[in-house]
Amino acid sequence: MILPDERGYFGNYGGRFVPETLMEALINLEHAYRRIYPSADFQNEVKRELIDFAGRPTPLYFAERLTQHYGIGEILLKREDLCHTGAHKINNCIGQALFARHIGKKRIVAETGAGQHGVATAAVCARLGLHCVVYMGEKDIDRQWINVQRMKLFGAEVRPVTQGTATLKDAINEALRDWITNVESTHYLIGSVVGPHPYPLMVRNFQKIIGEETKRQLEEAGKEASVIMACVGGGSNAIGIFYPFLDTKVRLIGVEAGGIADDSGRNSATLKLGKPGILHGAYTYLLQQNGGQVEDTESVAPGLDYAAVGPEHSYLKDSGRVEYQTVTDQQAKEAFQILTELEGILPALESCHAIAYLEKLNQVRGAIVINLSGRGDKDLSIVEGFRTSPVVMPSTEWENQ
């Protein structure tokens, strides 16, 4: 298993590149986390909330018709879309919010892109009686307005961000500024395995429940995974399912957002097309211009529309343990239609990037596990009007009788 060193590095990646005003807060945060997280009382508290509030464990679902459609292996979906609030984000939010309460912080700030992290944060804050402020880019507010309404219903204050590209990167900037200003009363509940140490470690440890459950469910079913896939933006759902399998021989594939097309300059394929740099307090792979300025990104899936990636993913790319691939917006939309029509499951467009990569897999023996990280209610306005020809399946025996 991979642990960052005492400076918070995974190999060459990670660290703390922050203003001096924030350094002491991060050091204190790390010390408190290392004291509180391993305790039996805290672990039991998190476990109870994951079961009673989030609805864990989530099923490992055999997608029979999807398997027939692609004709490879046996496709199993890890149904994180069935978690309370509709995505894997609730796992991390429960852990961090309970931790914040332990260290006496009663105000939470968060960022969100697709809105799922914002909704999960708002729901957990309502559950625990914490004040909640969520920063969200104006572009994402327009395309994810359903989640904005959900956050407000939970009592959160949603603050629009108009700077830059008005997407996730800029929302993180504003959340960090808020935390610096209000560090005595506020905990920054970051939503992915990004940012300065100890956040990538914290978020991964709260999300690894996904892979731990998957491993146990495969063993109970007498199945062995050949491939495990997940979409990658910041990378929390992917590291959550990958981490417990890193010491196995299972093939791990992270799928990034190719956007319009990889070679168009309008994508979010950080690991495939980026190079190392610093963003949001960590040294990691980053989409950047020749002069070092952060590149504008684009993806049909707001949760993948981010110029960097978690430093642990950068390490795993360089080590070769995880493959990182891309699919385009169009391919993700087609996967949305296929899964919806064949399985009666409405997937998030983020998750559809992993589903779409099934088209590119060669013949696989054994199980193919895909982390279905969220549900797609939030994306209906984006996919509205999109439809290719109906998905046609080979006739079944009962249809021929």
Side-chain angles (χ1 to χ4, degrees), residues 99-171:
F99 170 75
R101 194 168 68 171
H102 272 269
I103 60 175
K105 302 296 178 71
K106 298 181 179 179
R107 180 176 181 268
I108 300 293
V109 295
E111 85 297 328
T112 196
Q116 289 302 115
H117 176 59
V119 170
T121 303
V124 173
C125 286
R127 166 89 174 94
L128 299 179
L130 302 171
H131 181 67
C132 181
V133 176
V134 179
Y135 289 91
M136 190 173 190
E138 259 192 349
K139 180 179 177 181
D140 292 332
I141 286 175
D142 287 342
R143 56 183 175 173
Q144 303 281 244
W145 63 268
I146 292 176
N147 277 343
V148 175
Q149 293 302 111
R150 295 169 76 197
M151 285 182 258
K152 290 180 177 178
L153 286 169
F154 285 131
E157 178 188 350
V158 181
R159 295 186 181 178
V161 177
T162 58
Q163 290 89 344
T165 57
T167 56
L168 181 58
K169 168 179 68 69
D170 311 290

Side-chain angles (χ1 to χ4, degrees), residues 188-393:
Y188 177 21
L189 203 165
I190 201 164
S192 195
V193 286
V194 299
H197 180 64
Y199 278 112
L201 172 66
M202 290 174 62
V203 178
R204 178 252 272 164
N205 283 346
F206 288 131
Q207 289 292 2
K208 67 181 181 179
I209 184 68
I210 304 170
E212 290 170 345
E213 280 183 7
T214 301
K215 192 178 244 187
R216 185 170 63 251
Q217 289 165 328
L218 286 166
E219 290 171 355
E220 290 172 352
K223 298 180 185 297
E224 186 173 334
S226 295
V227 179
I228 295 177
M229 298 199 299
C231 64
V232 178
S236 66
N237 95 90
I239 210 70
I241 196 167
F242 291 165
Y243 184 70
F245 290 91
L246 289 177
D247 59 355
T248 72
K249 295 182 179 180
V250 178
R251 184 182 175 193
L252 305 175
I253 304 174
V255 186
E256 295 188 294
I260 304 300
D262 284 352
D263 58 0
S264 69
R266 299 169 63 187
N267 59 71
S268 300
T270 305
L271 288 161
K272 182 174 181 180
L273 301 176
K275 55 187 178 181
I278 296 170
L279 183 64
H280 296 139
Y283 183 71
T284 188
Y285 272 87
L286 170 65
L287 288 170
Q288 54 186 306
Q289 300 168 358
N290 290 334
Q293 293 297 311
V294 179
E295 189 72 75
D296 290 346
T297 57
E298 187 166 326
S299 172
V300 71
L304 305 185
D305 200 347
Y306 182 55
V309 68
E312 190 166 2
H313 282 290
S314 295
Y315 170 81
L316 292 170
K317 169 189 164 66
D318 283 3
S319 71
R321 178 61 188 94
V322 180
E323 305 170 37
Y324 294 93
Q325 307 291 349
T326 64
V327 300
T328 65
D329 288 351
Q330 178 69 16
Q331 290 165 336
K333 288 180 180 180
E334 290 170 358
F336 180 96
Q337 181 186 354
I338 289 168
L339 183 57
T340 302
E341 291 192 13
L342 294 187
E343 295 290 347
I345 296 171
L346 198 64
L349 280 170
E350 288 79 12
S351 310
C352 290
H353 286 70
I355 299 292
Y357 195 73
L358 288 166
E359 293 279 4
K360 302 182 180 183
L361 275 183
N362 296 321
Q363 185 65 38
V364 174
R365 289 185 176 182
I368 302 166
V369 179
I370 298 176
N371 195 15
L372 198 67
S373 57
R375 70 176 188 233
D377 313 52
K378 67 185 183 63
D379 295 320
L380 295 182
S381 61
I382 299 176
V383 298
E384 184 180 8
F386 171 81
R387 186 177 180 86
T388 59
S389 56
V391 180
V392 178
M393 289 287 292

Side-chain angles (χ1 to χ4, degrees), residues 61-119:
Y61 166 82
F62 172 41
E64 183 176 4
R65 299 191 75 219
L66 200 67
T67 299
Q68 294 171 1
H69 175 80
Y70 287 106
I72 52 173
E74 178 184 19
I75 300 170
L76 304 172
L77 305 179
K78 182 57 174 164
R79 296 292 305 277
E80 294 298 291
D81 60 308
L82 294 179
C83 284
H84 177 47
T85 69
H88 72 291
K89 295 293 186 180
I90 193 77
N91 306 322
N92 170 54
C93 290
I94 285 172
Q96 281 204 60
L98 288 172
F99 170 75
R101 194 168 68 171
H102 272 269
I103 60 175
K105 302 296 178 71
K106 298 181 179 179
R107 180 176 181 268
I108 300 293
V109 295
E111 85 297 328
T112 196
Q116 289 302 115
H117 176 59
V119 170

